[in-house]
Every structure is written in C-alpha cells, then in structure tokens.
Amino acid sequence: MNNSWIVLPILFQLVSAVVLLLTWGNIKIQKIVSILLSAIGLGIGIWLFLLIYNHGIQVTQSGNWPAPFGITFVADTFGSTMVLLASIAGFSVSIFAAGSMSRARLRFGFFPLLHFLIMGLQGAFLTGDIFNLYVWFEVIIISSFVLITIGGKKAQLEGAIKYVALNLLASIFFLIGIAFLYGLTGSLNMADLATKVQEIDNKGLINVTASLFLVAFGIKSAVFPLYFWLPASYHTPPAAVGAIFGGLLTKVGVYAMVRTFTLIFAGDVFLSLILSVMAALTILSGALGAMYHRHLGKIFGYLIICHIGFMMAGVGMMTELAIVGTVFYLVHDIIVKTNLFMVSGLILKINGTQDIKELGGMYKSKPLLSLLMAIPLFSLVGIPPLSGFWAKLFFIKGGLESKEYFLIAFIILGSFLTLWVIAKVWSEVFWKDAVNLPKKSKGIFFHELSSTGKWVLVLPVIFLSIISLYIGFGAEHIVSLSQRIASELMNPASYIETVLSQKTIEP
C-alpha cells in the first residue's frame, strides 16, 4: 500500500531538532521541549507500528517516481518495530539527560543533536534504498561524533577519534559495496536488488560484494575483530550519551546486516560460515573483556560486544527459528543496554565513581533503588523468566535444527560468562560493605538534588525496567511479533511485490 505518512517519524525528528535549535540560548526550555517532543515522537512510533501490524507493509515513492527508479521508503513489521524501539530509547534518554547532564554540556546543543541522531536512525530503519541507507548512516555518524565529544575532555576526544576513524572506514567499505552492487545490477532499490542478485551467475563476485557489506556492517556492529573502537569510546561521554549509543548505534548495524543478508544476499552458504565463526569469536572476546575490566562503562561496553555475537549467531544459522531469536534479542537488548548505561550514570551520581572496586553498600543504603537496578542487570543475564532468557531458547532450538552445535556451545558459554560478570558487579557494587574513599565526580550528587531532580533521573530507569519486565513476563507477545518478522524476512516476496508494485492503494 502506498502511504506517504510513513516518513512522519523522520520528518518529526527533523522538525524537533530545528525547533530546539531555535531555543539554543535557553537550556530550561530545551529540556522541557525535548521531553515533550520525544513523547510525541514515541506516540508517532506507536502509531506507525500499529498501522503496519494491522494493515501490512506500507510504501512511499518520493516524487512519485516508481521503484526502482525513485527513492523508496518502506515500513514493514521489522522496520516499524525498530522505529518504535528507537522512539522509546530517545524518550527515556531525553528525560535522563535533563536531570543528569550539566548546563555546560547541554549548552553545546545536546538536545538538537539527539533528535538529529534519532532522525538518522529512523531513516535507516525506513529506507528501501541501499544508497540512502548509507546516507542515513552518515547522518548518524555526524550526529554521534559531535555527541561523543560534548564536554571536550581528553578521554572523550581520544575515544571520539577512534570511533569516527573506524566508522568512516566502515563507510568506505559500504560505499565500495554499493558501487559493486550497482555495477552488477544497475539498481540501488533493495527489493529490486533482491531479484537481480539471485539471477547473477558469478557467485564469486557476489561473495566478494557480500563480504564488503559484512566488513562495513561488522565495524558498525562492533563484531570480532572489528570492535576495538567501542570499548575505547562508549564509556567516555556522559551516561545519557552512552545510553543512546549503547542501546541503538550498534543495533542499527545489526539491523542492516539482517536486512541485507536475508533480502539481497539470502541463501549464501559462504557468508553464513563466516558469520558463524565471527559470532563465536565476538561472544568470547566480549565476555572476556567484560571479565577483565572494573569500570562499569567498560564492562557494559564489552557486554554489548558479547551480545552482538548472539544476534550474529542467529544470522549465521539463517533459519527462521534462529532469526526469531535474533529479533527477540534485538528488542530485549535495545531496552536493557539503554537502561544499563543510565544505571551506570545513576551509580556515578550517587557514589562519584564507576570503579566497582571503589563501590559497595548500595543495597544497604538504597534498597529500593538497588532492586530497581537489579531488573536490567538480571534481565541482561537472562535469568528465567526475564527478557534475556527467551531469545536464547530460540537460538538453541535454531542451532539444533541446523546442527550448529559449535554456535550453541558459544551461546551457552557466553551466557555463563555474562552471569559471572553481572554477579561480580552485583557483589561489588551492592552486596559488599561500602568503601570509604573520597568522591571523585564533579557536580551535584544524587543526595543533593531536590525530590523532583531525583525523580527525573529515576523515572526513565523505571520506565525501561517495566518494558523489560513486559518483554520477559509477556514473552508470548514478543515471540509472536518476532515470528512474524522472521517469516517476512525469510520469505520476502510480499516485501518485494509491495515495493515494486505500481498500484496506489489508500490504507
């Protein structure tokens, strides 16, 4: 169905960013306006998701140029779900940033940049054109580079240089891959590419092209051995920036990988083998890195890498059951990782440090807050029936179905190592007695805030924790959604037909 309203999430974020630029000089107004606009953006995300869920795939052709000649936007179940998740994370981070970030940082344009970043993410999730996916990636890189440098501290600048250098390298590989595809097929429309790539006899050239996309998306997703930029950069900016990065930036790489490898390069055995090996090594290297470090930001950064490996394992198996696991884990991981970086920021605000060896006694001093923080921590581990548990069942079932026992072993190993890491964090930060060290953090501490200021910090953590609990205890709904997405991805005929159809039908 043709529906030009599906680009509303993108346009709304653009308008939001411009409105916030007009209020540049007034931080208080920026905070209120950003939260209100993010709430409206969340409402738009819910509207789009329900529209697609109830009426099927929606398409719009820019300038009324028919596909594959024009610029196509497509909203299917997968894309609309990612738009909704990005809206949820953006709304939560807007609130958390209003309470946690200093005026000195906010006056450099955090809120407009946040909305530009969300706009780039929404564009990536809704584009039906492989070149425009590259364009939206560039919007994301530009916005995120400025966000990661806000404050201008030495560690931030060092992390930002590593971040942007590797991501620009990924962009080069991405652009070369696009050039190969265009040279082979004469098209950039993803639905059109799906039909034309399958007709090419030179499979060796297709494998080379697919490998270029794997390197590009692998860098953006932080997979082994391309992940070194992430643990060097994600812990350096303020917690609000880390939250949006940890929740969404690597996941847009996973989204692109799932989209292209199920649509354009579907059924490539060579690619599946490489993905499986990289997934196993990503799980192991991420878990070992998390075990080694004692800074909460670095621990959570390495756990991002470890769990990207889980999602890659599902793509490597390339069965419908495994893709169900990947989609379920993607939903779970966006919510939990966004929440965990906010939790780490809250711990810093309370204690003045994120070094777990210098922390302790939080459960004794703040039992209710500690129990709240336990929800994302143990959801990450996947303790039944919390959200991380269910996706792993589908990974294991998918592995048994495709006889990928090697991957099953690494998924189980990664789960146990994650449990060990989170148990260590819980023991050091919450169970052991408090360590009487001088507080290092500058600025206002949690106990010095007004009750309103405290609630502004805690409410987004509560909001995301409730969603995590819903994903776990209402798993049948997320499973149903994941199965629908996996079915559409593994059987893309409806996607291709809708995009390439010349009919215009009002929904």
Side-chain angles (χ1 to χ4, degrees), residues 230 234 246 250-251 300-308 337 341:
L230 190 152
Y234 272 28
T250 50
K251 310 312 181 300
F300 294 153
Y302 273 102
L303 288 178
I304 289 173
I305 296 165
C306 175
H307 300 146
I308 290 293
K337 290 299 195 312
F341 275 88

Side-chain angles (χ1 to χ4, degrees), residues 165-242:
L166 268 294
N167 275 274
L168 287 176
L169 179 63
S171 296
I172 292 170
F173 278 102
F174 193 2
L175 202 55
I176 294 170
I178 290 170
F180 271 52
L181 271 182
Y182 187 73
L184 288 167
T185 65
S187 180
L188 294 171
N189 183 282
M190 288 195 278
D192 194 41
L193 286 169
T195 60
K196 291 184 175 179
V197 166
Q198 300 304 318
E199 297 170 357
I200 296 173
D201 294 327
N202 190 341
K203 298 304 177 186
L205 195 52
I206 295 298
N207 286 338
V208 170
T209 306
S211 298
L212 289 168
F213 282 97
L214 177 58
V215 173
F217 298 148
I219 292 173
K220 292 182 182 296
S221 303
V223 303
F224 181 91
L226 310 167
Y227 65 83
F228 296 101
W229 59 269
L230 190 152
S233 59
Y234 272 28
H235 70 286
T236 59
V241 177

